[in-house]
Amino acid sequence: MVKREIEEFNILIAGVGGQGNLLSSEIIATAAVKSGFKVRVADVFGAAQRGGSVLSHIRIGEKIFSPVIPEQNANVLLGFEPVECLRAAKFLSPTCVAIVNLRPIYPRDVALGKFKYPSIEEIINLLRELANKVLSKDFISVAEKAGDPMTLNVTMVGALASLKTLPIEKETLLEAVKEVVPPKTKEMNIRAFKMGYDETLKILKP
Amino acid sequence: MRKAEIIAKNNPGEKVLLLGNEAVARGAIEAGIQVATSYPGTPASEILSTIASVANKFNIHAEWSTNEMVAFETAAGAAMAGLRSMVSLKHVGLNWCADPLMAINQSGISGGFVIAVADDPGAYSSQNEQDSRYYSKMSELLMLEPCDAAEAKEAVKEAFNLSEKLELPVFVRLVNRICHSRADITLGPIKTEKRKASFKRGRRWVMIAGSSPERHKWLHQKQREIEEVVGNLWLNKLELKKGELGIVSAGVTYTYVKDALNKLGLDGEVSVLKIGTYPSPRKLIEQLLKNVKKVLVFEEVEPLVEKEIKEICFDLGVKPVVRGKLTNDVQREKDLNVDSVSKSIVEVLNIKHKHLNPVRDSALKKAQEITPPRRLLMCPGCPHTATFYIIRKAGFKAAKGKIIYSGDIGCYSLGFYAFEPPRQDTQFCMGASIGVGCGLAQSGIEDVVVATIGDSTIIHAGIPGLINASYNKAKLLIVVFDNGATAMTGFQPHPGTGVTATGEKTKKVNIEDIAKACGVEYVKVIDPYSVDESVKVVTEAMKQPGVSVIISRRLCMLEWLRKARREGMKKKLYEVDVEKCTGCKICVNELGCPAIVFDQRNNVAAIDEVLCNGCGVCAQVCPVDAIHKIKEVT
Ligand code: SF4
Ligand code: SF4
């Protein structure tokens, strides 16, 4: 393994319990370890395993200590759910690239009519003000094409792989996908990874 | 299974990604642990489940004990027989161990005994944020406090060595941010040779009246050895720089301080004392005090070290300014992080805040304003949701709806967040539903008092309360939410499941039998998915003159889904017939399954097809039969 040096690179995953965020953070971090980096990851969630907001902080580099990304320091935001991206807004650096799945999961209070869910347009506009670039798409439909909406998490890892600034190679991420996902779902997840990658490239270079 | 393979690798030098709790487990395995015990509790649970996953391979006895006290005593007993043993638990679990701890600290131990305790600053999954270092102080035992997951593995190994050297139990204090963080961990060699157990009789093991003063003296003599250990241990480290400020950072806060100083560009100016033990390293503190004018102290939860530094200043007759939680320079409650630590440093040094860009400021404010909250919920189709509905309905029949829900710790605690008004009126600690319920009932209050408690929790902490209720004739209804798992903490087995931590079949403890043996005459089992029948039984139970026990039994929905996937069973999907629906909202508000939403515009309920798990309870509660099964899916 070649030892690579990089000072700091921070990836934040924002989603809802049950979307498989933790598996994505494990895949990315496993790939980072394979790449020879120092890695720290924090999965931050409340008491319930389902339904609440979940943030995964992934930090890579020689200069990092704490597993939680300091505010305004995320280089990439992987947003699994639109309003969860807003909830994570304070972490975005002005140079951040945000990859956002546009399919909402409505909070209970919205479903009951107690709170309003902001329009997608409003969400994206705000993210554009806070980040450098926003790549958005209904990634659930991509995951569905790969075979199961539950592969959203790996689809998003594929999307991440398309970023030039990422210090981890695409092949290493794919290797980590194969290692981390349950063996039975391997083929489908490889498909999801590739489709996430291709679809994001299309947004980048239409 | 993949994780078990990684944990079992005997390939020293390899770097792997591990969860903090897995790193702790690996540390114990590398150290040659032979007995591991625990009771599930976030954020500590994965320590034992990880050890259990490789227990057979390494010939380790790993168990989920009935509760933390039993876990503690079991691990201690094994160490008295000369083995290396570890109990892992969450901070409030340690409260259960206070009794044995305060006797075994005087006996000491002959093998290596490590107590891995996970604190929960910010109380993300607990009833309080409690500082375990007080137990170290009270029991006069050494506590190691690693700063991250990588250090945690080494600290556990060190704790075993020190425990044997000192002949004392040694704590390792973890926090949520270490337990549930992942890091690149370098594997070490695994000690595979096993010790043969032997118990050496002696007066030290008999803490009978008359024994203590002598043993207490022995423990006090040990304090000198502890001080020496602490003074030289690698977990403590002083980094002296030329500036006037010195930062003292205990445990995980060291990582926050290093990041903050780096971000603020103050790396080269501020001295840092990293503290990784309790008691803290007095010599190093003295050295720091001699070199700086101002000291800023970071530690999770309580200002223990901060107070001690003030004492040391007094002893030395020096007067540096000591700032921290006591002076409101460091956030007092909630967990610290890089940002809160940066803020404290900036303020104490009087540096100007780098001002944010105002456009960005307003965008952030806007983002905050328009983000709707996301409450914690029960899972769709959760049997607990049905049980709560049944209790409520029976309450109307038996007591005009006047119910006090005396709550407990487990998934059903979410009855507080999931319903309006909440269906948990009190919640304190494991088992309190029954004890507090007894008191509420004995007060003569008019309301029906219903203690709601889970299967694992009643076995852990409910039985003395149950006996008390029957012995002292409390008019109390105890509803056991029996979903066949310790679901809240990750589906660990318990004595009621008939399976051990390593997956072996064992004696299954039956909750009905326990209730009857405790003297309860009215004991009934209901199926929460059969609503009307269950309401009848619970109504009858509420009318009993004394204590009654209802066991509401249905497998946890998440467990059922897993089983269904394994066995190829189909799940049903339900739909609301918009023609029939009158918009009464009973399914939305009174049942409260999160898969059911309400379409305000058309004034009808709707079921989210992705979320529905097909329990069929909503179809039973709808008064006009508007909800039907539409199909079955895999
Ligand atoms: S059947 Fe009804 S109560 Fe059960 S999960 Fe589906 S929507 Fe919820
Ligand atoms: S309970 Fe039945 S009638 Fe009432 S809102 Fe629900 S579906 Fe409609």
Side-chain angles (χ1 to χ4, degrees):
Chain A
M1 187 165 30
V2 211
K3 174 97 185 139
R4 292 179 49 190
E5 300 256 327
I6 160 180
E7 283 201 350
E8 178 175 350
F9 196 85
N10 300 316
I11 303 165
L12 184 67
I13 305 179
V16 178
Q19 282 191 306
N21 333 26
L22 303 195
L23 194 83
S24 311
S25 82
E26 190 174 349
I27 292 169
I28 299 166
T30 301
V33 174
K34 282 178 181 295
S35 312
F37 294 129
K38 176 178 179 183
V39 185
R40 292 292 181 271
V41 180
D43 297 315
V44 183
F45 50 89
Q49 289 153 335
R50 301 226 149 191
S53 303
V54 183
L55 273 186
S56 291
H57 302 247
I58 304 157
R59 307 192 68 202
I60 302 167
E62 289 315 304
K63 274 211 162 172
I64 56 151
F65 284 88
S66 150
V68 177
I69 302 173
E71 287 177 15
Q72 295 201 61
N73 272 275
N75 301 88
V76 177
L77 167 71
L78 274 191
F80 283 22
E81 202 281 342
V83 293
E84 291 313 315
C85 296
L86 288 188
R87 215 185 297 282
K90 66 176 180 188
F91 292 106
L92 309 192
S93 89
T95 59
C96 179
V97 180
I99 306 179
V100 181
N101 166 40
L102 291 177
R103 187 96 60 101
I105 295 177
Y106 295 111
R108 181 91 182 129
D109 288 308
V110 170
L112 296 180
K114 286 187 191 139
F115 281 87
K116 204 176 138 271
Y117 195 96
S119 75
I120 293 294
E121 201 190 352
E122 201 175 3
I123 295 173
I124 298 297
N125 282 342
L126 268 176
L127 289 175
R128 286 226 163 89
E129 272 182 54
L130 292 163
N132 178 34
K133 202 189 280 176
V134 179
L135 309 172
S136 61
K137 191 179 177 63
D138 178 357
F139 280 101
I140 290 270
S141 69
V142 180
E144 273 163 355
K145 271 186 223 136
D148 188 337
M150 282 308 290
T151 60
L152 173 75
N153 51 2
V154 177
T155 308
M156 296 298 283
V157 176
L160 173 75
S162 72
L163 298 186
K164 282 245 163 51
T165 48
L166 191 75
I168 307 168
E169 301 292 332
K170 179 191 171 195
E171 285 66 35
T172 318
L173 275 169
L174 187 57
E175 222 179 286
V177 170
K178 292 180 192 161
E179 246 174 59
V180 173
V181 301
K184 265 200 241 154
T185 65
K186 207 196 267 180
E187 287 314 310
M188 189 164 63
N189 276 307
I190 294 173
R191 217 161 39 236
F193 178 88
K194 291 189 170 148
M195 290 176 71
Y197 178 85
D198 291 340
E199 290 298 324
T200 314
L201 273 193
K202 275 189 222 156
I203 315 175
L204 282 165
K205 300 183 215 118
Chain B
M1 272 309 95
R2 186 185 83 94
K3 259 297 150 63
E5 278 162 33
I6 296 175
I7 294 294
K9 273 188 179 176
N10 205 352
N11 186 15
E14 184 177 344
K15 270 200 179 187
V16 294
L17 181 78
L18 293 182
L19 194 65
N21 280 341
E22 292 163 352
V24 168
R26 171 74 193 200
I29 293 163
E30 288 180 7
I33 188 176
Q34 284 176 265
V35 173
T37 66
S38 183
Y39 179 84
T42 317
S45 310
E46 297 85 358
I47 299 173
L48 189 95
S49 43
T50 302
I51 297 178
S53 72
V54 296
N56 290 339
K57 179 169 169 117
F58 293 110
N59 202 7
I60 299 167
H61 170 78
E63 69 168 48
W64 290 119
S65 310
T66 323
N67 64 27
E68 288 88 351
M69 179 185 179
V70 177
F72 183 98
E73 290 165 345
T74 302
M80 286 170 200
L83 306 188
R84 287 193 157 183
S85 68
M86 178 167 82
V87 59
S88 49
L89 32 69
K90 68 184 293 178
H91 62 322
V92 287
L94 191 52
N95 294 339
W96 282 80
C97 310
D99 214 4
L101 171 68
M102 293 309 294
I104 292 171
N105 63 340
Q106 301 173 79
S107 294
I109 218 80
S110 47
F113 179 29
V114 174
I115 307 158
V117 55
D119 285 7
D120 189 11
Y124 288 83
S125 34
S126 313
Q127 64 268 42
N128 70 9
E129 23 178 20
Q130 167 188 304
D131 193 329
S132 293
R133 290 176 301 172
Y134 275 114
Y135 279 106
S136 155
K137 195 174 172 120
M138 180 165 72
S139 62
E140 302 173 78
L141 296 177
L142 173 62
M143 179 175 266
L144 307 185
E145 199 181 359
C147 74
D148 67 6
E151 225 181 63
K153 175 167 85 76
E154 303 312 314
V156 168
K157 287 160 78 172
E158 191 69 82
F160 277 110
N161 292 338
L162 291 174
S163 171
E164 283 171 3
K165 180 177 163 180
L166 296 164
E167 286 184 74
L168 287 172
V170 172
F171 289 100
V172 176
R173 184 198 192 201
L174 307 162
V175 292
N176 45 17
R177 215 47 78 221
I178 291 176
C179 296
H180 287 165
S181 72
R182 293 169 206 272
D184 52 303
I185 306 279
T186 309
L187 299 180
I190 292 177
K191 208 170 172 172
T192 44
E193 68 274 21
K194 298 286 165 186
R195 291 184 193 159
K196 196 168 167 340
S198 79
F199 178 70
K200 216 168 125 218
R201 282 189 181 74
R203 179 78 202 259
R204 68 186 291 190
W205 306 124
V206 191
M207 290 309 302
I208 195 170
S211 298
S212 180
E214 193 195 315
R215 294 307 303 176
H216 203 181
K217 186 171 172 193
W218 175 82
L219 180 59
H220 288 149
Q221 283 161 350
K222 284 280 170 190
Q223 299 308 304
R224 252 171 278 141
E225 276 177 62
I226 290 179
E227 200 180 316
E228 207 173 295
V229 164
V230 159
N232 299 313
L233 200 65
W234 55 275
L235 280 157
N236 297 316
K237 191 173 71 183
L238 179 60
E239 302 161 7
L240 279 179
K241 298 283 158 65
K242 55 188 191 309
E244 291 191 345
L245 179 67
I247 289 181
V248 175
S249 61
V252 70
T253 67
Y254 176 71
T255 67
Y256 306 155
V257 168
K258 292 299 275 186
D259 271 335
L261 290 177
N262 172 22
K263 296 278 167 205
L264 294 167
L266 293 171
D267 269 338
E269 285 165 50
V270 178
S271 300
V272 178
L273 172 57
K274 171 189 183 296
I275 293 190
T277 60
Y278 195 85
S280 25
R282 194 180 165 107
K283 290 255 161 58
L284 292 180
I285 293 174
E286 288 178 0
Q287 214 180 323
L288 178 75
L289 289 174
K290 282 181 199 139
N291 281 282
V292 297
K293 295 217 168 70
K294 237 190 237 176
V295 179
L296 177 59
V297 188
F298 293 104
E299 52 196 317
E300 280 295 24
V301 191
E302 302 297 343
L304 265 80
V305 175
E306 190 181 340
K307 278 186 196 155
E308 285 171 11
I309 292 178
K310 289 190 170 169
E311 276 173 33
I312 296 173
C313 289
F314 179 82
D315 288 352
L316 291 179
V318 294
K319 278 208 181 112
V321 185
V322 180
R323 313 273 289 262
K325 295 195 175 207
L326 291 170
T327 53
N328 281 327
D329 291 296
V330 175
Q331 165 194 311
R332 186 73 176 78
E333 294 83 20
K334 253 195 138 280
D335 49 326
L336 302 175
N337 55 42
V338 180
D339 297 300
S340 63
V341 163
S342 295
K343 189 165 168 271
S344 302
I345 297 173
V346 163
E347 279 169 14
V348 164
L349 282 177
N350 245 328
I351 318 173
K352 281 225 170 63
H353 273 288
K354 263 190 277 167
H355 198 71
L356 289 175
N357 164 351
V359 179
R360 205 182 157 79
D361 266 357
S362 81
L364 276 176
K365 213 170 136 229
K366 183 85 199 284
Q368 220 175 24
E369 277 165 17
I370 64 170
T371 306
R374 206 179 278 282
R375 280 198 264 171
L376 297 178
L377 297 172
M378 312 279 235
C379 304
C382 172
H384 296 344
T385 305
T387 306
F388 276 123
Y389 176 85
I390 291 160
I391 297 172
R392 185 170 181 280
K393 191 97 200 228
F396 275 105
K397 298 200 165 175
K400 300 192 193 97
K402 296 188 87 176
I403 302 174
I404 299 176
Y405 298 89
S406 182
D408 223 301
I409 310 265
C411 280
Y412 41 93
S413 316
L414 295 181
F416 179 76
Y417 288 113
F419 308 105
E420 260 170 57
R423 294 181 196 168
Q424 290 280 274
D425 292 313
T426 64
Q427 193 196 313
F428 306 103
C429 63
M430 296 289 283
S433 63
I434 301 182
V436 170
C438 282
L440 285 164
Q442 300 292 16
S443 76
I445 203 153
E446 207 187 311
D447 313 52
V448 181
V449 182
V450 182
T452 55
I453 185 166
D455 43 343
S456 186
T457 308
I458 196 167
I459 293 170
H460 174 293
I463 297 170
L466 194 57
I467 296 172
N468 188 64
S470 102
Y471 171 59
N472 287 309
K473 304 180 186 174
K475 188 182 165 357
L476 176 69
L477 167 60
I478 298 164
V479 178
V480 184
F481 287 58
D482 182 1
N483 62 355
T486 319
M488 191 67 157
T489 49
F491 309 101
Q492 295 82 4
H494 61 71
T497 62
V499 183
T500 69
T502 49
E504 276 166 51
K505 282 222 154 56
T506 182
K507 168 98 193 144
K508 185 168 172 170
V509 174
N510 183 292
I511 300 173
E512 300 88 290
D513 292 348
I514 293 177
K516 284 180 196 147
C518 291
V520 183
E521 277 165 19
Y522 191 97
V523 181
K524 292 266 161 79
V525 180
I526 59 167
D527 174 3
Y529 285 179
S530 301
V531 175
D532 290 344
E533 222 180 295
S534 298
V535 170
K536 250 182 247 152
V537 179
V538 177
T539 310
E540 191 179 77
M542 285 179 176
K543 291 180 177 158
Q544 297 303 307
V547 59
S548 50
V549 171
I550 297 278
I551 296 143
S552 184
R553 181 167 291 148
R554 204 13 113 154
L555 187 64
C556 165
M557 181 49 92
L558 294 185
E559 280 289 88
W560 185 85
L561 288 172
R562 244 171 256 162
K563 199 170 146 205
R565 231 170 285 138
R566 261 198 322 268
E567 296 171 9
M569 284 188 283
K570 289 192 164 163
K571 108 177 168 180
K572 302 179 193 107
L573 277 186
Y574 282 74
E575 189 181 68
V576 176
D577 180 342
V578 290
E579 297 300 319
K580 278 194 181 169
C581 173
T582 60
C584 72
K585 287 196 180 174
I586 286 177
C587 56
V588 179
N589 291 337
E590 285 172 35
L591 178 63
C593 171
I596 311 178
V597 298
F598 198 75
D599 175 352
Q600 308 280 353
R601 214 174 308 141
N602 300 312
N603 195 40
V604 286
I607 291 175
D608 185 325
E609 206 181 293
V610 180
L611 294 178
C612 173
N613 284 327
C615 69
V617 171
C618 55
Q620 297 174 52
V621 310
C622 174
V624 296
D625 272 338
I627 303 179
H628 298 286
K629 186 172 92 180
I630 43 166
K631 57 179 172 190
E632 296 199 347
V633 293
T634 42

